[in-house]
Amino acid sequence: MWFTGGVGGGLRKLCRASATVFENEMGSNSLLVRYMSRERAVNVRKINPKVSIQEAHIISNSLYDVFKKHGPLSVPNTWLRAQEAGVSGLNSKTHMKLLLKWMRGRKMLKLICNQVGSSKKFFHSILPDDHHPQQETPPLAVVTDNNKQTFSKRRSK
């Protein structure tokens, strides 16, 4: 009875009533529905590299060197550069894509999206080293020391 719309069309009335309530409450309810309707992102940490872990580390280190040498690369360019560099262990372009996802999960690479008009281009690049933020902290400490000196000068005047 509910699904066939038999006597009284109970399901249709229920749907119409909920639709009008939904239209009137476009606030947090719409955000909740929108959030719950999305698919979950792929957990890149659990990707199987299809080779042993030791071999995956060797291949990923050689791919990392390719990225370090040539900068941000798209997937087709990465495949060409890997073949030129003689990266051993890659069975196919699909296997390389799988290893790139595995490397992203291990925080070795990041994925950059460049939008050109209506099309998007994706590039893989290496993550910046952790040495850069440490180098920036000493100049900030010098700046704060200068500020302390100016405050002491103001107090003495």
Side-chain angles (χ1 to χ4, degrees), residues 2-157:
W2 279 94
F3 299 108
T4 59
V7 179
L11 184 61
R12 271 188 261 137
K13 288 181 184 176
L14 180 65
C15 289
R16 281 190 213 130
S18 63
T20 56
V21 169
F22 184 72
E23 287 175 3
N24 293 336
E25 298 177 4
M26 289 300 287
S28 62
N29 287 343
S30 63
L31 293 176
L32 181 66
V33 169
R34 196 169 177 192
Y35 176 76
M36 297 301 283
S37 64
R38 290 185 184 166
E39 289 185 23
R40 285 185 61 193
V42 176
N43 188 358
V44 289
R45 290 187 61 99
K46 292 187 176 182
I47 291 206
N48 183 10
K50 304 289 186 192
V51 291
S52 66
I53 298 297
Q54 294 84 12
E55 192 175 348
H57 279 290
I58 293 169
I59 297 169
S60 65
N61 285 336
S62 56
L63 283 174
Y64 187 83
D65 292 338
V66 168
F67 282 111
K68 202 176 226 183
K69 187 176 181 181
H70 297 290
L73 295 171
S74 63
V75 173
N77 288 339
T78 304
W79 176 245
L80 293 174
R81 299 288 182 173
Q83 286 179 332
E84 289 173 3
V87 176
S88 62
L90 289 177
N91 301 331
S92 63
K93 193 173 183 180
T94 306
H95 185 236
M96 184 198 66
K97 290 178 187 179
L98 194 71
L99 280 169
L100 290 176
K101 275 188 182 180
W102 184 78
M103 290 171 71
R104 279 197 324 248
R106 303 278 176 194
K107 304 290 186 202
M108 294 176 74
L109 295 177
K110 64 179 177 179
L111 187 64
I112 303 170
C113 176
N114 287 340
Q115 188 166 358
V116 180
S118 63
S119 64
K120 294 179 182 176
K121 294 187 178 183
F122 293 95
F123 296 97
H124 286 92
S125 69
I126 59 174
L127 288 170
D129 293 335
D130 292 335
H131 304 295
H132 298 294
Q134 292 174 356
Q135 292 174 357
E136 293 177 3
T137 52
L140 294 175
V142 171
V143 171
T144 56
D145 292 339
N146 291 339
N147 289 340
K148 289 180 183 176
Q149 291 173 358
T150 58
F151 286 129
S152 63
K153 288 179 185 177
R154 288 180 187 167
R155 289 181 190 156
S156 63
K157 287 182 182 179

